[in-house]
Amino acid sequence: MERGGYSALCEAWYVEGDGWTPVTETVALEVPVAIHCNGLFVEEISCTPEDVEDLVIGHLYTSGVIDAFDDVSLVEVAACTVGFEAHVCAPGPNLALECSYALCPAGDCPAGDLEISPKAVHRASSALLGVQDMHRNTGATHAAVFADVSGSYRFVREDIGRHNAVDKLIGALLRNDVDPSSGFVHLSSRCALDLVKKCSTFGIRLISTVSAPTSAVLDFADERGITLCAFARNGHFTVYTHPEHLSR
C-alpha cells in the first residue's frame, strides 16, 4: 500500500457478474493521535491525518478540558511510529478528563440576533460535494463546514470520523476567533446528538444536515434554542426546531 497525505493507494479487484478486473483504489488513511495536556494523557483518537492541530484544540474544547483557545500556550503535533502525538500546554485548564461537553445552561446560550435565509441553507447544502476533496477521492470521509449568513463557506474540515470533522471545525473557528453568530454549520452526516452538542459548546445557533435527526436531538435543540434543518439537500430541507432564526 502506497501512502501519502490523507490517502493511500491499494491494489484490489472489481467484480461484476463473473468478471474480475484488477484495479487501483484510493482509500482514506486512518491513524491514531495521542493527546496529552500538561503532561497528562487525555485520549487517543483515530483520525484522518489532516488539520490535526484543529482536531486537538476542538476536542479539548468540546470535552471541557479547556474553556477557550486563550487557555492554550503551546500546541505541538509530531509524527511518531504509528501516528501522531500531540502535546498541549494549557496553564490552569479544567483537567477533569471525563468527556463531558461544556454546555451552557438551558436558556443561557448566546442570544444575539441571528437570521439566516432559506436560500443560504440551500446554497450551503448544494456546494458541499464540491468542497469534499477527501470524500471525492476516497468515499470514506465526512465534512463539517461553517458558512456565513449568505451560505458561502468560510471553513471546511474533513475526517473519517464525523465527530472528528466537527472537532476540527470548532478548533479552526476557535483559532481564528470566529463569532459563532456570524454564520451556521452544515454537516454531511446524520444529525447525531453528540455532533449537535459539540456545536452548541461553541454557540452555534443554526445547524443543517443532509440526513435525519432523532427525538433526543430535537429535544436538545429545542431546549438550547438551536434551529435544526435536516434533510438539507436537492433544494429542500425540513425545519424541526426554532424556525424564528430563518427569514421568510
Side-chain angles (χ1 to χ4, degrees), residues 123-145:
R123 182 178 185 182
S125 64
S126 65
L128 184 62
L129 186 59
V131 299
Q132 288 183 270
D133 295 339
M134 293 184 193
H135 185 75
R136 286 200 309 274
N137 288 328
T138 68
T141 58
H142 291 286
V145 305

Side-chain angles (χ1 to χ4, degrees), residues 2-169:
E2 183 182 341
R3 299 168 182 257
Y6 62 80
S7 63
L9 298 178
C10 70
E11 302 305 316
W13 294 92
Y14 176 74
V15 179
E16 184 174 8
D18 294 329
W20 289 57
T21 305
V23 293
T24 301
E25 290 290 305
T26 301
V27 298
L29 288 180
E30 180 175 1
V31 302
V33 54
I35 302 175
H36 302 261
C37 186
N38 296 343
L40 297 176
F41 174 75
V42 176
E43 191 172 354
E44 183 174 278
I45 302 174
S46 291
C47 71
T48 304
E50 294 279 325
D51 303 305
V52 177
E53 288 190 10
D54 287 340
L55 171 63
V56 171
I57 295 301
H59 184 75
L60 292 178
Y61 179 81
T62 60
S63 298
V65 177
I66 62 173
D67 296 323
F69 182 58
D70 287 345
D71 290 344
V72 175
S73 60
L74 177 69
V75 184
E76 291 184 343
V77 177
C80 57
T81 305
V82 294
F84 292 91
E85 283 199 352
H87 292 271
V88 177
C89 182
N94 173 20
L95 283 179
L97 299 179
E98 299 87 355
C99 186
S100 57
Y101 299 105
L103 298 173
C104 55
D108 291 341
C109 294
D113 292 336
L114 176 70
E115 189 172 274
I116 304 293
S117 74
K119 287 183 179 179
V121 179
H122 293 322
R123 182 178 185 182
S125 64
S126 65
L128 184 62
L129 186 59
V131 299
Q132 288 183 270
D133 295 339
M134 293 184 193
H135 185 75
R136 286 200 309 274
N137 288 328
T138 68
T141 58
H142 291 286
V145 305
F146 184 81
D148 63 22
V149 294
S150 74
S152 297
Y153 288 174
R154 294 185 60 190
F155 295 90
V156 180
R157 293 295 183 268
E158 291 186 82
D159 199 276
I160 51 167
R162 57 190 181 176
H163 296 80
N164 292 346
V166 172
D167 278 341
K168 285 182 177 181
L169 178 65

Side-chain angles (χ1 to χ4, degrees), residues 211-233:
S211 193
T214 65
S215 61
V217 176
L218 300 185
D219 290 344
F220 178 85
D222 186 53
E223 179 186 21
R224 301 288 165 173
I226 297 170
T227 301
L228 201 59
C229 305
F231 299 110
R233 54 180 186 262

